[in-house]
Each structure stands twice: as C-alpha cells, then as structure tokens.
Amino acid sequence: MSKQLDYHTIRAIFERFQEARPHPEGELEHVNVYTLVVAVALSAQATDAGVNRATRALFQIADTPQKMLDLGLEGLTEHIKSIGLYRQKAKNVIRMSQILVDEYDGQVPNSRAALQSLPGVGRKTANVVLNMWWNMPAQAVDTHIFRVGNRTGICPGKDVVAVERALEDHVPADFQHHAHHWLILHGRYHCKARKPMCPTCLIRDLCPYEDKTT
C-alpha cells in the first residue's frame, strides 16, 4: 500500500485521465435504469463482456420489473446461464423485480439505502447506479479501483469502504463524477493485477509504485 498522495499530485493524475478520456463510460450495456441495476448485479465475479453477451437478448424482452417477472425464473436462468453464479443471481433478480413492483410501483429508487435493500444489490452496485444514472458523485469501488488506489496512493485503504472514503475525501470535486470510471478503466487495461503496463503508463512519473515493470 502506498502512502496517500498529496492534492496537487492527485489533481495532476486526474487531469491526465480527463485529457486522455474526457467522457469515460461504464462498459455494461443497458437500456434504462432497471436494466442497469440488473446488469451491475449480474457482473459480480463476472466480466462486463460476459454479462453483455448474456443480457443483449434478455433486455430486448425483459426491460422492466414486470416483464422480468413474466419471463420467470426458468426463462431468466436460461438467458444468463453463461454467467458465474447464475442460479443465485437469477433468484435475486426475480426477488428484486417483485419488490420493485410491489413496493416501488415498478420504479427503481434513487437512494443508496433503498437500492441496497434490494436482493443482490450491494454498496458497489448501488453506487454504480447512483453515479451512472443519476449523476451523483458516488464512488463504486471494485477490485480494479482497490488495486489502483493502493498502488498509486490516490486512495489507499485496507478495505473497499476505506478506499471509497479516500476517493471522496481526496479526489478534487471537479473529477468526482468520473473518478471511478477512470480508475476502473486504468486498472482493467493498464494497471493490471499481475503485469501492470508501467512502461507505457499515463501517470508513470506521478506514481510511487515501487515494483514498476520494465
């Protein structure tokens, strides 16, 4: 774990991220906020590409809670069986859809507490939805952000909640909205777990990571 970087260094890092990718976006395909919640919930311990392959046909026929209930557990399971832990995820999506119909008139709530009360929706999923759909500066910390945050010193922490708080506390306000997208993409394609691509890294000279690859 690197020490917490100072404000000026963090700002310089995000200025580079912004210049390289002014409008970063999540890679999970969705057609509305409900399908976004479902896609993010399905992405746990799975790749975005794998989820997208499974949900393209699904979301054409089940893009609302009621349509998902009409499809049923067996129908949903058949669509997502290529995704890890698909049986439990299918049960969660059906239960979540029933709650949305019964308690929220089929609408997805826009508070973290209400989102986290839904089956299969944890803090990370709730933060992704709040950020991507309602443009709130919520920071969804996944394995990529946890790794990049600790390696670089942008947002070090012993657990995901600590990293989330470090992001909120130390990333300048004007970069808060896209911060988690930039960090996810950096971790996914450059600051990889086993072989970080340090020689071509955009922030190599600003990063204190000692084990830079050559």
Side-chain angles (χ1 to χ4, degrees), residues 129-138 177-178:
V129 175
L130 292 172
N131 181 283
M132 289 182 62
W133 194 261
W134 283 293
N135 298 318
M136 297 182 187
H177 178 56
H178 291 311

Side-chain angles (χ1 to χ4, degrees), residues 114-154:
L115 284 167
Q116 285 188 246
S117 72
L118 299 172
V121 177
R123 187 178 183 86
K124 187 194 82 169
T125 297
N127 282 346
V128 170
V129 175
L130 292 172
N131 181 283
M132 289 182 62
W133 194 261
W134 283 293
N135 298 318
M136 297 182 187
Q139 305 301 337
V141 178
D142 67 353
T143 55
H144 296 301
I145 293 182
F146 186 81
R147 178 176 67 256
V148 174
N150 278 292
R151 272 183 181 169
T152 62
I154 294 172

Side-chain angles (χ1 to χ4, degrees), residues 44-177:
Q45 300 183 48
T47 65
D48 288 1
V51 172
N52 290 339
R53 284 193 296 270
T55 57
R56 285 184 188 123
L58 172 65
F59 291 159
Q60 289 180 9
I61 60 174
D63 60 355
T64 70
Q66 187 58 58
K67 289 179 181 178
M68 191 67 75
L69 293 174
D70 293 341
L71 179 63
L73 179 60
E74 290 186 8
L76 171 58
T77 301
E78 187 64 26
H79 274 89
I80 67 169
K81 62 184 180 181
S82 61
I83 300 175
L85 306 175
Y86 69 95
R87 293 188 186 280
Q88 184 59 49
K89 289 177 180 179
K91 292 178 182 178
N92 285 338
V93 170
I94 293 297
R95 289 169 55 213
M96 173 180 69
S97 301
Q98 190 68 63
I99 291 172
L100 290 176
V101 168
D102 292 344
E103 300 182 19
Y104 296 97
D105 297 321
Q107 303 300 309
V108 175
N110 63 350
S111 78
R112 182 184 287 113
L115 284 167
Q116 285 188 246
S117 72
L118 299 172
V121 177
R123 187 178 183 86
K124 187 194 82 169
T125 297
N127 282 346
V128 170
V129 175
L130 292 172
N131 181 283
M132 289 182 62
W133 194 261
W134 283 293
N135 298 318
M136 297 182 187
Q139 305 301 337
V141 178
D142 67 353
T143 55
H144 296 301
I145 293 182
F146 186 81
R147 178 176 67 256
V148 174
N150 278 292
R151 272 183 181 169
T152 62
I154 294 172
C155 48
K158 294 182 179 180
D159 54 45
V160 293
V161 174
V163 171
E164 180 183 325
R165 289 173 178 168
L167 269 172
E168 294 173 345
D169 290 344
H170 296 286
V171 174
D174 46 328
F175 297 118
Q176 282 280 331
H177 178 56

Side-chain angles (χ1 to χ4, degrees), residues 30-38 107-109 129 133-134:
H30 57 283
V31 298
N32 54 32
V33 64
Y34 170 70
T35 56
L36 176 60
V37 175
V38 173
Q107 303 300 309
V108 175
V129 175
W133 194 261
W134 283 293

